Amino acid sequence: MKRSIRDLVNLEGKRVFLRTDFNLPMNNVGKITDATRLVNELPTIRYLVERGAKVIICSHLGRPNGFDFRLSLWPVALMLMKYFPGKVQFAHKTIGPEVQQQVASMSNGSILLLENIRFFKEETANDPKFAKELASLADIYVDDAFGVVHRKHASTYGVARLLPNAIGFLIENEVTIIENAIKTPKKPFVAVFGGGKVSDKIGALLNILSPADVVLIGGAMAYAFLMAQGVSIGKSLVEVESVKIAAQVLEKAQQMGKKIVLPVDHVAYRDGDKNERAFVTDDLEDDMIGADIGPKTIRLFENELEKANQIIWNGPLGKYEDPKFQKGTFKIAKCIAKTSAYSIIGGGDSISAVKQAKCEKLINHISTGGGVTLKLLEGASLPGIDIIQEKVI
Ligand code: ADP
Ligand code: 3PG
Ligand code: MG
């Protein structure tokens, strides 16, 4: 078990380098459109502030190539100031003498948010000199940036090696919930996969076959599976290389005696129809494009979900951004919310879909991770967590 911030003693006056994932969605005028990742981080920040630590917060935002004012963390600093009035300062420079000065003048229980760490290419390169410079700002390293624990960057890995360290509440919570769901699932366990790329999700899909009883597959992903079964899919979105992978998954599921449920009907439109007029069909003809699961499939999926005691969902079941093709995703979201099963949802688009369907409050765990949630489901090693010291018992 990894050392958590609860295991840190005498925090009064200590400089804590806290890596968070404040990669928040923003519109083109820098307005934060979803603050979930920041709100979920507040318990860790409060814990440190209340114990008199000097909290130096570091995060990335987007994937900049050098400085880019559109990816400044300043809007996040403004939001933090509302939660911690009079306690927050912003370090426009991220590192260097000015920041060292700012750190030196911090009072106990105050917060300094560093500008976007990814303005420096040394961050993603995990440059040792850069990591050393970051480490020189603090006495202790705390990692709570769940969204990037699969990245071996200077602020997620390099600096952790140089300081006494621990994980924060958000990582602890995410990892405990997702690992428990995989290792000791409540049965029956139904997994729902959708979205675009099979290749991104294959690891998670294969790993989940062991604990899961039933896997429901929708979205564009389903077309690779249908194609692998020789079912015609018209001009629906499919990655050709995924068809082989899908065939492997189907074979493995059969060997293991696990049930995979695929769509039996679709909401489709015709190729070349500019208005993408939607209609329901059981069979996809050559010029048809499937963009959502159909009503029979919805009922089939609902049937399985109603029997579940645990549900994990990743990936929308159709092109939910378009109102014509969102019914499948929204109906399944509502069904998951209504069941008494323990429900976990991960994936940027899946979360956004659940929020649009207004049922996020009834989901037991909404993961703040993006790609990392899939990594965790896959059972992959996570460098940002591996590098943290074990708890001394
Ligand atoms: P998440 O972010 O939840 O992991 P993904 O990024 O894998 O989900 O997938 C979301 C995307 O998949 C959405 O943009 C959605 O429009 C698309 N999608 C789902 N089903 C289809 C489909 N049948 N045809 C085309 N795109 C689809
Ligand atoms: C995310 O949004 O998934 C995390 O912040 C990770 O971002 P990255 O994929 O750019 O490392
Ligand atoms: Mg996505």
Side-chain angles (χ1 to χ4, degrees):
M1 208 163 17
K2 294 295 173 182
R3 197 146 87 130
S4 108
I5 49 172
R6 277 189 215 89
D7 304 314
L8 301 172
V9 286
N10 300 332
L11 283 167
E12 180 81 26
K14 291 272 167 53
R15 297 167 306 162
V16 175
F17 186 98
L18 173 65
R19 178 56 158 104
T20 63
D21 182 3
F22 286 163
N23 186 22
L24 309 182
M26 287 187 199
N27 66 13
N28 51 11
V29 290
K31 187 177 178 301
I32 295 166
T33 51
D34 182 3
T36 310
R37 281 178 169 172
L38 184 138
V39 172
N40 288 7
E41 188 52 35
L42 294 173
T44 295
I45 303 175
R46 270 198 202 107
Y47 184 91
L48 295 169
V49 165
E50 281 165 7
R51 278 153 188 80
K54 297 171 179 174
V55 189
I56 303 156
I57 303 182
C58 167
S59 176
H60 71 286
L61 176 63
R63 293 177 178 173
N65 195 358
F67 178 77
D68 180 345
F69 71 95
R70 289 165 304 183
L71 293 174
S72 169
L73 281 170
W74 175 240
V76 177
L78 291 176
M79 189 174 264
L80 267 182
M81 285 170 193
K82 290 197 186 128
Y83 285 103
F84 300 96
K87 290 188 190 293
V88 181
Q89 293 239 24
F90 187 60
H92 291 273
K93 289 279 166 62
T94 315
I95 55 160
E98 259 176 58
V99 180
Q100 280 162 11
Q101 265 292 308
Q102 281 178 291
V103 171
S105 60
M106 283 175 86
S107 50
N108 294 359
S110 70
I111 297 164
L112 180 69
L113 175 66
L114 305 181
E115 180 56 290
N116 192 346
I117 192 81
R118 284 202 190 155
F119 286 165
F120 296 82
K121 63 177 182 336
E122 292 87 343
E123 160 67 355
T124 46
N126 189 19
D127 181 276
K129 255 171 71 189
F130 188 70
K132 210 168 159 189
E133 196 167 345
L134 293 175
S136 75
L137 294 175
D139 306 301
I140 299 167
Y141 173 81
V142 173
D143 192 2
D144 216 15
F146 177 63
V148 276
V149 286
H150 56 319
R151 308 265 180 239
K152 214 169 175 175
H153 294 171
S155 71
T156 63
Y157 188 84
V159 64
R161 301 164 62 119
L162 305 171
L163 293 171
N165 55 43
I167 52 168
F169 296 131
L170 187 138
I171 289 190
E172 194 176 49
N173 195 35
E174 290 269 12
V175 173
T176 309
I177 288 176
I178 298 171
E179 277 188 357
N180 280 348
I182 298 293
K183 288 183 185 153
T184 50
K186 296 177 183 66
K187 299 283 212 162
F189 168 22
V190 178
V192 189
F193 276 91
K197 291 188 174 170
V198 181
S199 47
D200 283 354
K201 308 200 176 182
I202 180 67
L205 199 53
L206 282 170
N207 200 42
I208 236 164
L209 276 181
S210 306
D213 301 290
V214 182
V215 181
L216 312 176
I217 300 178
M221 221 181 161
Y223 298 115
F225 284 81
L226 290 171
M227 211 168 164
Q229 289 189 330
V231 176
S232 63
I233 61 159
K235 288 215 160 50
S236 307
L237 189 69
V238 71
E239 296 169 293
V240 181
E241 65 275 24
S242 295
V243 180
K244 255 206 334 251
I245 305 176
Q248 283 165 13
V249 175
L250 288 168
E251 201 186 308
K252 192 170 170 211
Q254 202 182 19
Q255 283 163 5
M256 295 171 77
K258 301 295 165 109
K259 186 167 167 187
I260 291 194
V261 185
L262 297 173
V264 292
D265 62 347
H266 315 265
V267 180
Y269 60 97
R270 283 194 193 269
D271 190 23
D273 175 3
K274 276 205 199 90
N275 297 321
E276 298 190 355
R277 275 164 302 187
F279 55 88
V280 173
T281 182
D282 287 355
D283 301 308
L284 290 163
E285 293 166 18
D286 287 352
D287 67 339
M288 290 180 187
I289 299 175
D292 193 8
I293 51 172
K296 287 185 207 161
T297 309
I298 293 176
R299 273 196 298 278
L300 208 58
F301 283 13
E302 283 173 343
N303 249 329
E304 297 294 343
L305 292 166
E306 278 156 10
K307 288 184 274 188
N309 268 319
Q310 177 178 293
I311 298 167
I312 292 187
W313 182 19
N314 177 277
L317 302 170
K319 266 180 28 167
Y320 77 100
E321 297 91 339
D322 182 336
K324 296 194 294 289
F325 305 114
Q326 61 188 202
K327 195 170 173 184
T329 302
F330 284 15
K331 279 238 170 185
I332 295 305
K334 286 183 180 136
C335 173
I336 294 175
K338 258 197 352 227
T339 63
S340 54
Y342 187 83
S343 51
I344 300 177
I345 292 188
D349 287 287
S350 315
I351 293 166
S352 153
V354 165
K355 285 187 175 160
Q356 281 179 46
K358 298 203 175 11
C359 42
E360 76 271 23
K361 291 209 172 73
L362 291 169
I363 303 299
N364 295 88
H365 181 67
I366 296 192
S367 175
T368 58
V372 71
T373 309
L374 282 170
K375 292 272 166 216
L376 201 52
L377 292 176
E378 197 178 308
S381 84
L382 302 168
I385 295 179
D386 293 345
I387 193 70
I388 302 295
Q389 293 162 249
E390 292 297 320
K391 205 188 267 286
V392 184
I393 306 171

